[in-house]
Amino acid sequence: MAPGSNLIVNEDLKERIASWSVVWPRDQRELWTNLLASESSVSSSGFPILSEQAFSLFLEQVPHLFLDGLEILNFISQCRYMLEASHGWEDSDEVSVDRALSVVRNIVNTAGVTSGTDLWTLRHILNSFHQLGLVEAFKQNKPLTTEGLAKKFALDSAQLEQDLIMLHSRGILALSSQGYALNSRPWAQNIFSQISPLDRRFCEDMVEKIGQGLALGSGTDEVNEFFQLSNHPSDSEGWYPTLNDIELGFRIVPLVIALRTQGFTSQLKYETYIQEIVPGLTPNQLSCLRRAGLIADNDAVTLLGDRVFARAPGPYGIIHAYHSYMAHHTTLLKGQKTEVWVSRGANVVASQQANAKTFHLINESLSRYCEATGFDYDVYIEHAVGQGEATRQHYKKHPDKTVHYFGADLEEAAIARAEEARSRGELPADMRFVRRADIGEPEILIDAIMRAGCKPQGAVMVVGNGFHEVRNQSNEKMIQVFKKYCDAGILVIFTEESALSDEDLLATGWNTYHAGFRYFHAISGQGLRPAIDDPNSPCDRLSWHKCASLAGYEVNSEYTTRTRTIYPYPRKNGTNPAISVNYFCIPRKN
């Protein structure tokens, strides 16, 4: 069945929209008038949503990365102007079109932020595949199994399987009962026929080199060469990535991170002129930014650029912190031992940016809970402390509250960052830090609190994406970890991104940055868990909610908060997980 074939359209509304004097993206007037005149509504959480048919039509037929995304955002601005200038409309029609425009804008903005790291990861994987002969193997257009490939090319089957899953989740490979095969569509065929090996220099971390050039006002020959791009066949089809997209994303990610490390991204607002703020950009870098739709031909920051510069540094930085894995990817794929690591310092900074909104929701939920129940606490713990963003927000919100603050982390780099924040006055002056505190070993933290003369009973612990880092996870181990915190009487509020399947990712395009997030956590031994227990899912891991509940916690739904759902439409089976959830876990009274 063709995408959107069952789309229900208000024909009168469609006719009025078709009369608008706007620039239709890719001249797809019929498609866009159908989309905007189709049914729209609001989710139970208050987010605007389309029908399943409308979203399917958009996903399969509307390219929306980089310049395509910018064209759509400019189109939406024109549509909103026309909508405001329209007369004689029913209020319900105007609201419906406005909702549809909001959904499309959200999809495009999200893709602008989430696609980059997936494209960056794909480029590294494809480079290794080219070097090892896997690209040629897949060009035969026959199904191939992980075991068969691993045996033929002497590869590590576990690493290879994760690589194949990543390529499948981005639509490049198809999966059947016979194995993986190259997608038959032209854009995928062109990726494997046109891909070339990377210069070995460019497999290394380029962020510092790019940043030095930005600071000094001139880039090295190596940096200039890195940003040279070739033009490949323009074969965009729906949400799927082309080789041009992959090559561009590979360069945009380290460039945006370098702009952030040099302090520029916060200044790059809509319609500001980038060269007035960043005079050190080279012609090749400016060309990449234009091709990515982040700046216009006159070098002014675009609507898309405004969004990416504001929201992408956090997610980009979290994934790029795993760069060592990709710099040694070919070695890992061969099954040879090599030293790989996560760049904890970079990860700490990126996580703070990415989790700032989450911690605001968590601290607000805590305040609401205290007001409603009379609960009070004098110990506030931030585990996986990073730079102490949750503590910073809480301290700013409650400057006069008598609270013993603790920050805990396994990594010294994280503690060092938090201590620097404390010395700057951003964290409480008497905040204590617990070093080498593995979140999977609760007794380390509990003992430290007691040695400080405080009681864990009635304490509050906030965790931002830390529990998935528990290594060698099993359901039983995770339940035991939660149980130890519960038995100590600690109220835990933690956030975790929901584990998603390939089916979810393929059906929602770039609606999250989960594909790369899942990939790096899998190859580094960490474990994501679903937000919803689905008996039909091949995943054998219990949900975070289930693990906490079996450990003795009441996961209180009133104070548990969620981001938007991954599917921007109501699903027939009712299963629509939130991208991430802030679980509010209250110890049950024995």
Side-chain angles (χ1 to χ4, degrees), residues 139-189:
K139 284 165 64 175
Q140 306 306 311
N141 289 313
K142 296 178 181 179
L144 302 168
T145 66
T146 303
E147 296 75 15
L149 286 169
K151 183 177 181 180
K152 180 177 180 179
F153 292 94
L155 303 176
D156 180 81
S157 59
Q159 177 65 53
L160 176 60
E161 177 66 9
Q162 293 304 322
D163 295 338
L164 296 173
I165 288 173
M166 181 67 188
L167 291 169
H168 174 239
S169 72
R170 298 299 77 196
I172 297 172
L173 296 182
L175 178 62
S176 69
S177 58
Q178 296 176 295
Y180 293 94
L182 183 57
N183 191 316
S184 61
R185 297 185 182 185
W187 61 268
Q189 295 286 322

Side-chain angles (χ1 to χ4, degrees), residues 2 98 135 150 193 195 389 444 473 484 488 504 512 532 553 589:
D98 184 68
V135 165
S193 64
I195 194 76
E389 177 63 19
I444 297 174
Q473 275 193 43
K484 290 179 181 178
D504 290 328
T512 77
I532 300 170
Y553 276 111
K589 294 180 180 179

